[in-house]
Amino acid sequence: MNRRESESNLLIRIKALEEQLQEANELKELKALHLANSEERFALAMRSASDGLWDWDLKTDYVYYSPCWKTMLGYEEHELEDNLNTWSTLTHPDDVENALAEVEDYLIGKLNVFEFELRMRHKNGGYLFIRSRAFKVVCEATGEPLRLVGTHVNITEQKQAEIFNRKHAEVLEMIAKGHPAPQIYDAIALLYESRNPGMRCSMLELRGDTLVHGSAPSLPKQYCDDINGIKYGPNVGSCGTATYTGKRVISVNIETDPKWVEFKDYALPHGMRCCWSEPILSSSGKVLGAFGMYHDYPSSPNENELQDLISAARLSGIIMEREKNLKKIRDLAFKDTLTGLSSRAQFYLTLEKLTARRSHLQNNFSILYLDLDNFKHINDSMGHDAGDMLLQAYADRLRSLCQDPDLVGRLSGDEFCIIVDTSQNSISAETFAKQCLQLMSSPIEIRERRIIPSCSIGIAHYPEHGDCSKALLKAADTALYRAKDLGKNRYTVYNSRLTQKVEYKFKVEHYLKQAINDDELTLAYQPQLDLVSEKVVGVEALLRWHHPVLGQVSPVEFVKTAERIGRIYQVTEWVLTTACNQLVEWDKSNSGPEKIAVNISSILFQNSKIVPLVTKIIDETGLQPNRLELEITENAIQTSKSGLETLKELKSLGVMLAIDDFGTGYSSFSSLRQLEFDILKLDKSFVDEILQDKKAELLIRSIIIMSHDLGTTVVAEGVEKRAQANLLHELGCDMVQGYLYSKAIKSDYIPNFIAETNNKVPNWEI
Ligand code: C2E
Ligand code: MG
Ligand code: MG
């Protein structure tokens, strides 16, 4: 072999050697790879015999799934193909993308370890929580990832317990913190859904015979809407039946269950296939609703699921019952139980919100403070039940006037308040008040008795009359006070002068209490004369009050005040005692009149205390009862049956009864029909007209004739002119009283007056 030949052989050998070497290297690498593969699998297999192994060839997407991996998901070895598609179809759709992103990050080295939790669907339809861990196998030469080898561990139980405990604690915290019920219902549904992957829960509330949507955070809105408002019954799906029977209903297959015939078309399109429903019961066993659990495959609950269904219903029951109790409490606080209108507290809250909100805006509104006229009469004469019925009827009328029932409140007994939005409403508060007065005064039938009620209204405008709720209410109340004062059955709009008047009134109240306690009231006596003989036959005792600051206060004013502040009984007791004692005193010197008249406030006829009082005074003074005349205005007997009874009892004591101010009340003639009065006192307003108005003369003539027919004596009040006395004499009037003869005078002057008058020759005999 020559040198050239040997050189070329050498080259060939070197090349061959090089090729062998390369082959050997590749083989080594492959061997290494193989070794790594089985070592890894072995190592992984050793870690947990129950873990599922997987080995993903990143180039071909061939994936080796160990038998354990497949059985974990409920499959036989041959049932699943060894490719990536198997994994992606079994993984929860929400987790696929995240898992692949995690793989990507791990493969490119962004993450050092691959560990990921995902949900995979079990063959039975439910989902398992899986912890996936993996190692990448890389090409030694290039560093390129070739395979991903990993394990699947079923962590469902641990995961569910973890989530369940956390969510359970959250629900308890929500209950403790008083979160709104719908939020808690949702949390309960999600709590049980978390423990049972794939399950969807619902909670329906039973109201009367109707099922109302309570919560279903994972169910489609369409389904909830379709079910909301259905009536319960023996064949109304699972929940409708469970609420109806009060028993658990397990519908294994919605499609074939006869109870679902009419409702399955609501559920099937949304994939719901089975429904288990547990009635929600109160602590006393009353059905409050139903808790439902849905799966999108036909199934009956296993032991755990059944326990969950029972405890979900129990937990919902606690909230539902608490909610019902809270509602009751809220209603009690915010709704007036008698009328269903806003309670005082609620109304104040609404008003407060309005004044706070509107102070930034231009919008105005008014409040109407409304008080029923003479409500106390009705209550006292017809009983509290009748009073309540009247208040309810009133409330209904007010509700019909106002669009928003929250804006009408009952503040107390017979006091109501309405907020009128004058910015949106085309009508003014005054027009609204007129409508109120009109509506309120239409007759109401209560216990077969026709009542013509009326009310008085005080109006205050916001912000003119008060820029906060308190000031506004005070202004409206002041205006109401004025409306009452002006004669009731009317409205008054607030103005600042009214405040002064009210303040004056409060002052009067205060001073009057002092005067009553300190015995500062006095009596004056106005003579009453027989019109034929023109001799004094009686005197009317009239209250007088002179106050150092207020001066002379009219009894018209302070008697009303005494009534309002609840001192009228005390005052009347004093008047009766003083007047009767006075007559007895005059008798001693034989210088007084035959009889004495005392005014009795109508308010005293609302209870029967007046009868024992009169009895006591007659007994104590020894006065002959027929020498005492009690003057009563018509309204004392108008509405009150018990008032009429009281009058009869008084009459049976033997005292004289006079109807005072005859002609000024509403039912003068019916008063006469109802009771035999001894005396009829023609009001001064008639006497004032007698000379100018022929009709008044005619009327008086008729009243006198009629009274005489009834055996009643007629006294004309307020006779100031001789011509009036003459005409009255001519018309046959029996007695007179008036400034023509005398004003009310001190008791000391009465004997003289009587002596002088009774010695005179009557005017018509001159
Ligand atoms: P009344 O019972 O109708 O008394 C008649 C009133 O008319 C008295 O006014 C009397 O002074 C007044 N009067 C009498 N003659 C004339 C006259 O010719 N011209 C004018 N202009 N007035 C005349 P007074 O004393 O101011 O009493 C007013 C009302 O106050 C009484 O009306 C009565 O309703 C009430 N009142 C007075 N005292 C008492 C009382 O002791 N108890 C109760 N409940 N009310 C009383
Ligand atoms: Mg009188
Ligand atoms: Mg009178």
Side-chain angles (χ1 to χ4, degrees):
M1 193 187 300
N2 58 26
R3 198 183 161 162
R4 186 176 280 169
E5 209 182 271
S6 60
E7 264 182 17
S8 100
N9 279 346
L10 197 64
L11 277 172
I12 290 165
R13 274 194 64 196
I14 289 170
K15 197 159 169 96
L17 269 172
E18 273 177 0
E19 277 172 7
Q20 270 180 15
L21 196 66
Q22 195 176 341
E23 265 181 34
N25 277 342
E26 276 178 13
L27 194 72
K28 194 176 147 201
E29 191 179 305
L30 270 173
K31 274 187 178 165
L33 259 180
H34 191 75
L35 186 71
N37 201 354
S38 47
E39 270 177 2
E40 283 155 8
R41 281 187 191 160
F42 180 71
L44 290 165
M46 286 304 288
R47 202 176 292 156
S48 165
S50 60
D51 291 357
L53 297 184
W54 52 274
D55 184 344
W56 175 12
D57 185 323
L58 297 168
K59 286 226 168 75
T60 61
D61 276 348
Y62 166 83
V63 188
Y64 163 76
Y65 299 111
S66 72
C68 214
W69 190 95
K70 292 178 181 171
T71 48
M72 189 186 288
L73 295 172
Y75 292 96
E76 299 285 329
E77 174 92 59
H78 63 276
E79 284 183 295
L80 295 175
E81 287 183 23
D82 287 340
N83 56 35
L84 191 64
N85 197 38
T86 297
W87 172 83
S88 53
T89 44
L90 290 175
T91 300
H92 193 288
D94 292 349
D95 294 345
V96 173
E97 216 173 290
N98 292 341
L100 291 177
E102 196 91 355
V103 167
E104 179 72 27
D105 286 350
Y106 175 62
L107 291 180
I108 62 171
K110 249 193 189 174
L111 297 172
N112 291 331
V113 283
F114 178 86
E115 188 168 328
F116 186 75
E117 284 175 11
L118 71 163
R119 287 164 292 175
M120 295 198 75
R121 186 191 277 275
H122 191 273
K123 192 181 174 187
N124 69 12
Y127 279 94
L128 301 180
F129 283 96
I130 302 288
R131 177 175 295 127
S132 183
R133 284 200 188 105
F135 307 94
K136 62 186 166 188
V137 177
V138 293
C139 169
E140 264 188 20
T142 61
E144 182 196 359
L146 300 172
R147 290 169 28 239
L148 204 56
V149 186
T151 55
H152 269 186
V153 183
N154 182 359
I155 54 161
T156 309
E157 269 186 28
Q158 168 200 341
K159 188 78 187 166
Q160 283 170 345
E162 219 174 76
I163 296 175
F164 188 82
N165 289 342
R166 197 185 66 232
K167 286 189 184 276
H168 199 261
E170 275 170 18
V171 170
L172 293 181
E173 193 182 329
M174 287 170 93
I175 296 173
K177 285 187 173 166
H179 279 235
Q183 273 181 24
I184 303 179
Y185 293 145
D186 278 0
I188 293 173
L190 293 171
L191 171 70
Y192 288 94
E193 286 175 7
S194 73
R195 185 142 75 177
N196 301 282
M199 176 187 279
R200 292 183 281 180
C201 297
S202 83
M203 206 277 303
L204 289 167
E205 219 178 303
L206 186 67
R207 291 201 195 142
D209 58 356
T210 304
L211 292 165
V212 180
H213 170 77
S215 161
S218 308
L219 285 177
K221 185 176 177 304
Q222 180 64 51
Y223 177 71
C224 298
D225 290 348
D226 289 339
I227 292 300
N228 189 26
I230 58 165
K231 299 243 178 297
Y232 73 177
N235 278 305
V236 181
S238 309
C239 294
T241 311
T243 43
Y244 184 77
T245 57
K247 296 206 168 74
R248 181 179 313 140
V249 173
I250 303 292
S251 293
V252 176
N253 191 342
I254 289 176
E255 206 161 4
T256 54
D257 192 319
K259 288 187 285 300
W260 277 87
V261 172
E262 284 183 43
F263 305 95
K264 65 179 173 188
D265 288 344
Y266 296 138
L268 295 177
H270 302 294
M272 290 122 91
R273 287 292 178 279
C274 68
C275 178
W276 318 320
S277 179
E278 181 77 5
I280 298 172
L281 305 177
S282 71
S283 47
S284 62
K286 194 172 163 249
V287 179
L288 303 174
F291 197 94
M293 288 179 164
Y294 295 84
H295 270 301
D296 35 12
Y297 50 89
S299 171
S300 54
N302 61 32
E303 193 45 45
N304 288 341
E305 288 165 329
L306 196 62
Q307 284 313 314
D308 277 359
L309 180 65
I310 295 167
S311 65
R314 206 173 288 152
L315 200 53
S316 305
I318 294 170
I319 309 304
M320 232 177 243
E321 194 163 23
R322 182 197 74 162
E323 208 47 24
K324 282 196 188 307
N325 289 337
L326 276 177
K327 190 177 174 305
K328 251 186 232 160
I329 294 167
R330 262 198 304 267
D331 280 358
L332 277 177
F334 296 121
K335 281 246 175 320
D336 173 52
T337 37
L338 178 70
T339 61
L341 296 177
S342 292
S343 67
R344 185 188 180 92
Q346 170 66 22
F347 186 83
Y348 280 13
L349 223 66
T350 311
L351 195 58
E352 213 127 84
K353 272 191 212 149
L354 274 179
T355 47
R357 180 152 51 90
R358 300 225 179 178
S359 53
H360 306 292
L361 304 169
Q362 288 307 302
N363 290 348
N364 293 343
F365 64 91
S366 304
I367 62 167
L368 271 66
Y369 209 126
L370 199 141
D371 185 284
L372 306 197
D373 295 333
N374 309 320
F375 176 66
K376 208 174 167 340
H377 283 298
I378 306 231
N379 235 355
D380 290 338
S381 60
M382 292 176 68
H384 284 265
D385 287 357
D388 284 355
M389 282 156 88
L390 183 67
L391 288 174
Q392 281 163 340
Y394 251 87
D396 288 344
R397 288 179 176 190
L398 288 179
R399 233 191 309 264
S400 74
L401 268 181
C402 308
Q403 282 135 0
D404 185 348
D406 280 357
L407 301 184
V408 197
R410 179 170 168 235
L411 302 193
S412 65
D414 62 341
E415 283 182 354
F416 298 85
C417 207
I418 306 168
I419 298 167
V420 182
D421 191 342
T422 43
S423 64
Q424 280 175 20
N425 232 322
S426 53
I427 66 164
S428 66
E430 288 82 346
T431 315
F432 192 87
K434 274 182 208 155
Q435 288 179 357
C436 256
L437 288 173
Q438 199 183 2
L439 185 70
M440 291 312 201
S441 58
S442 56
I444 296 179
E445 189 110 350
I446 288 176
R447 296 239 176 91
E448 293 166 15
R449 217 173 124 179
R450 200 172 133 96
I451 294 170
I452 302 178
S454 73
C455 67
S456 303
I457 301 171
I459 301 176
H461 301 312
Y462 173 85
E464 233 174 299
H465 299 145
D467 57 1
C468 65
S469 57
K470 215 171 156 192
L472 208 58
L473 278 163
K474 192 161 185 257
D477 191 22
T478 304
L480 168 66
Y481 212 76
R482 182 67 184 151
K484 291 268 181 201
D485 234 25
L486 290 174
K488 303 179 181 173
N489 196 18
R490 69 191 63 220
Y491 71 84
T492 309
V493 182
Y494 173 80
N495 68 55
S496 54
R497 286 190 317 276
L498 292 183
T499 304
Q500 291 161 8
K501 282 194 178 136
V502 169
E503 275 166 9
Y504 172 79
K505 256 187 149 157
F506 284 140
K507 221 186 261 175
V508 173
E509 283 178 8
H510 174 69
Y511 290 147
L512 182 64
K513 277 181 202 163
Q514 277 181 348
I516 294 169
N517 292 343
D518 300 347
D519 241 350
E520 283 170 10
L521 300 181
T522 56
L523 282 182
Y525 299 89
Q526 186 175 34
Q528 298 175 324
L529 289 87
D530 179 283
L531 199 46
V532 179
S533 63
E534 287 205 307
K535 297 211 177 345
V536 177
V537 276
V539 290
E540 178 177 2
L542 291 161
L543 268 168
R544 294 292 174 259
W545 177 32
H546 182 87
H547 186 265
V549 177
L550 304 172
Q552 197 71 25
V553 188
S554 160
V556 179
E557 191 183 329
F558 73 79
V559 165
K560 257 194 249 159
T561 310
E563 288 175 353
R564 200 172 51 241
I565 62 173
R567 296 292 183 94
I568 192 63
Y569 177 84
Q570 195 182 344
V571 169
T572 308
E573 183 176 21
W574 178 84
V575 174
L576 272 167
T577 315
T578 311
C580 291
N581 280 332
Q582 184 60 65
L583 190 58
V584 172
E585 200 57 37
W586 282 323
D587 280 352
K588 285 180 189 160
S589 53
N590 206 15
S591 57
E594 285 168 31
K595 60 186 184 87
I596 195 154
V598 171
N599 293 282
I600 307 289
S601 174
S602 62
I603 215 165
L604 290 170
F605 289 85
Q606 287 158 15
N607 59 52
S608 49
K609 272 159 78 183
I610 186 74
V611 182
L613 176 66
V614 174
T615 314
K616 183 187 91 172
I617 288 164
I618 291 171
D619 286 352
E620 278 174 6
T621 54
L623 194 72
Q624 254 184 312
N626 64 358
R627 297 185 65 202
L628 176 63
E629 189 179 301
L630 302 179
E631 294 192 7
I632 297 128
T633 50
E634 291 164 52
N635 55 10
I637 26 166
Q638 256 170 41
T639 48
S640 145
K641 241 186 194 162
S642 63
L644 216 81
E645 283 307 308
T646 308
L647 275 172
K648 282 184 182 155
E649 283 177 45
L650 283 174
K651 203 160 164 37
S652 69
L653 295 179
V655 295
M656 298 282 139
L657 293 184
I659 182 163
D660 201 357
D661 303 344
F662 186 84
T664 54
Y666 298 110
S667 56
S668 316
F669 289 98
S670 73
S671 324
L672 284 177
R673 187 178 56 81
Q674 289 180 56
L675 199 90
E676 284 174 31
F677 279 95
D678 303 286
I679 296 124
L680 181 150
K681 295 190 77 179
L682 262 184
D683 192 66
K684 179 175 180 297
S685 55
F686 275 114
V687 177
D688 287 345
E689 300 288 307
I690 194 170
L691 296 177
Q692 300 92 0
D693 189 349
K694 266 278 162 214
K695 273 190 200 152
E697 185 193 323
L698 205 72
L699 207 61
I700 292 180
R701 186 192 298 273
S702 313
I703 292 171
I704 292 171
I705 294 170
M706 183 193 68
S707 300
H708 286 169
D709 285 349
L710 289 169
T712 309
T713 305
V714 180
V715 181
E717 288 189 276
V719 179
E720 292 178 341
K721 295 178 183 147
R722 171 51 52 192
Q724 289 170 335
N726 290 346
L727 188 51
L728 284 163
H729 177 250
E730 208 181 301
L731 293 176
C733 180
D734 306 290
M735 284 166 67
V736 276
Q737 175 180 353
Y739 292 178
L740 174 67
Y741 302 97
S742 170
K743 289 192 171 184
I745 49 176
K746 276 187 173 178
S747 56
D748 296 351
Y749 303 147
I750 286 291
N752 265 347
F753 180 86
I754 293 177
E756 273 177 29
T757 312
N758 290 3
N759 280 332
K760 273 193 219 159
V761 180
N763 202 45
W764 10 92
E765 288 177 10
I766 298 167

